Amino acid sequence: MTRKAGALIIFVVDASGSMALNRMDAAKGAAISLLSEAYKSRDKICLISFHQDQAEVVVPPTKSIVLTKSRLEGMPCGGGSPLAHALTIAAKVAINEKKVKKDVGKVIVVLVTDGRANIPMCISVGEGFDPVLLPSINGRPTKEFLNEEAISCAKKFRALDVNLLVIDTEDKFVSTGIAREIAMAALGNYYSIDPRDAEAVKQITKKNI
């Protein structure tokens, strides 16, 4: 049965660390695949990349394959992981689209990450990190503080009528489990994949639309 309103799928892709290129390629493949079928479903995609100090809307909500391909060419990767900022930006995009656009039905945020945040929100918004006032070790935010910040941001999705889908690319031999906790905090769905498996992101996303 054809849906009356198209879905908006917001890919939030961790472009930090050694496996960043794999995650980006997987999300790009999934986005293009979904758009190629959009004439039937009227779905739109959006892609948010996060690395260095901030998250950025690389591809705004669109049905255009041409725009998506052009925006994703040569995407920079590496650096820090501002996970809390990425979740916040995703929530803002979702809220705006649901308010402004009348053709958006279901909104799904697909977070592709290993969950290893290392940039706090204060840095992302340009306020600086105060190691005296905030939990720190050697002048840097503690892992506990960064994890709690990301989980707090994830909890806000509960009130937005937005589905959070977490695709965990973390190495299971050194797992922190934070990606699963983020999914649980948002009452979302959790999947663990091999970061080299580009097809998995596409299939999991389609399954949850």
Side-chain angles (χ1 to χ4, degrees), residues 28-50:
K28 179 179 178 180
I32 298 299
S33 176
L34 290 170
L35 287 177
S36 68
E37 302 172 3
Y39 71 95
K40 293 182 293 186
S41 61
R42 292 177 286 181
D43 294 338
K44 295 193 291 185
I45 69 98
C46 169
L47 191 140
I48 297 168
S49 168
F50 63 101

Side-chain angles (χ1 to χ4, degrees), residues 8 10 46 48 57 61 88-98:
L8 170 61
I10 304 173
C46 169
I48 297 168
V57 179
T88 300
I89 294 298
K92 288 180 178 179
V93 171
I95 292 169
N96 184 65
E97 285 294 302
K98 289 174 73 70

